[in-house]
Amino acid sequence: MKKFLSALLLFTTIAIAAMAQPKMPTPEELAKKNVDELETRLKLTATQKGVIYNYAYNMAKEQVALMKKQQATGYNDEEVTKLYRLNNETNKNIKAVLKPEQILEYDKVVEERLAGIDPKKKKKKKKGEEEEKIVGIEGLKSVKAGQP
């Protein structure tokens, strides 16, 4: 009876631990989420959406592969640098598909992503109050260590 209870407790603990770990998104999920947001914000045509999805999917495959590799072996500067280069190349390729007015909005999207701004969670401003926005390296310098 003790062995059965011990086995049951062990199984329950493992099951709870497995459920607590967040599921890593697939490249398809990442690319779809990315392209859906861009489609809404940039009003993409069907052709643009298809081409951008291919770029986003390739980028997402590399991101997921890097996340898995880092979980297994740890952080590697060279791999992260390679991912940044691919990200820059992907952004350049996406801009080549966009119209000039879409490029302006795309730049805003990229800036918001880099700043960690979620467009779905916009802060409500009080009447007559305007939010001060510091961009670029000055914005990074102004954040104190340990603050989000």
Side-chain angles (χ1 to χ4, degrees), residues 24-27 62-74:
M24 187 178 299
T26 65
E62 293 296 325
Q63 286 175 324
V64 169
L66 178 63
M67 284 189 282
K68 287 180 181 177
K69 187 173 184 180
Q70 284 184 341
Q71 285 179 344
T73 62

Side-chain angles (χ1 to χ4, degrees), residues 63-120:
Q63 286 175 324
V64 169
L66 178 63
M67 284 189 282
K68 287 180 181 177
K69 187 173 184 180
Q70 284 184 341
Q71 285 179 344
T73 62
Y75 185 82
N76 183 344
D77 282 337
E78 292 173 16
E79 292 290 328
V80 173
T81 302
K82 178 181 159 187
L83 191 65
Y84 283 138
R85 285 190 191 122
L86 180 62
N87 190 25
N88 290 336
E89 184 180 320
T90 301
N91 286 337
K92 187 176 88 177
N93 291 336
I94 288 173
K95 284 182 179 183
V97 173
L98 300 174
K99 297 174 188 170
E101 61 273 9
Q102 290 174 316
I103 291 174
L104 295 174
E105 184 64 24
Y106 180 72
D107 287 338
K108 289 179 187 175
V109 170
V110 170
E111 188 174 315
E112 288 174 1
R113 288 177 181 176
L114 290 173
I117 298 171
D118 187 354
K120 295 174 188 165

Side-chain angles (χ1 to χ4, degrees), residues 2-137:
K2 283 185 179 180
K3 288 183 181 182
F4 174 74
L5 289 176
S6 296
L8 182 63
L9 179 65
L10 179 63
F11 176 75
T12 306
T13 305
I14 292 172
I16 290 172
M19 288 189 302
Q21 293 180 350
K23 179 184 160 239
M24 187 178 299
T26 65
E28 293 85 6
E29 292 169 341
L30 290 173
K32 183 176 180 346
K33 180 180 176 188
N34 185 1
V35 173
D36 287 347
E37 179 189 356
L38 292 178
E39 180 182 28
T40 303
R41 300 267 312 259
L42 307 178
K43 299 177 182 35
L44 300 174
T45 65
T47 304
Q48 287 175 320
K49 184 178 177 183
V51 172
I52 291 172
Y53 177 83
N54 289 334
Y55 291 134
Y57 177 73
N58 290 333
M59 181 68 198
K61 276 194 322 190
E62 293 296 325
Q63 286 175 324
V64 169
L66 178 63
M67 284 189 282
K68 287 180 181 177
K69 187 173 184 180
Q70 284 184 341
Q71 285 179 344
T73 62
Y75 185 82
N76 183 344
D77 282 337
E78 292 173 16
E79 292 290 328
V80 173
T81 302
K82 178 181 159 187
L83 191 65
Y84 283 138
R85 285 190 191 122
L86 180 62
N87 190 25
N88 290 336
E89 184 180 320
T90 301
N91 286 337
K92 187 176 88 177
N93 291 336
I94 288 173
K95 284 182 179 183
V97 173
L98 300 174
K99 297 174 188 170
E101 61 273 9
Q102 290 174 316
I103 291 174
L104 295 174
E105 184 64 24
Y106 180 72
D107 287 338
K108 289 179 187 175
V109 170
V110 170
E111 188 174 315
E112 288 174 1
R113 288 177 181 176
L114 290 173
I117 298 171
D118 187 354
K120 295 174 188 165
K121 296 180 182 177
K122 296 243 181 196
K123 286 185 180 178
K124 293 182 180 177
K125 296 179 188 174
K126 293 180 183 174
K127 223 176 199 180
E129 186 179 309
E130 197 170 309
E131 185 179 318
E132 182 181 339
K133 185 175 180 184
I134 302 171
V135 295
I137 192 72

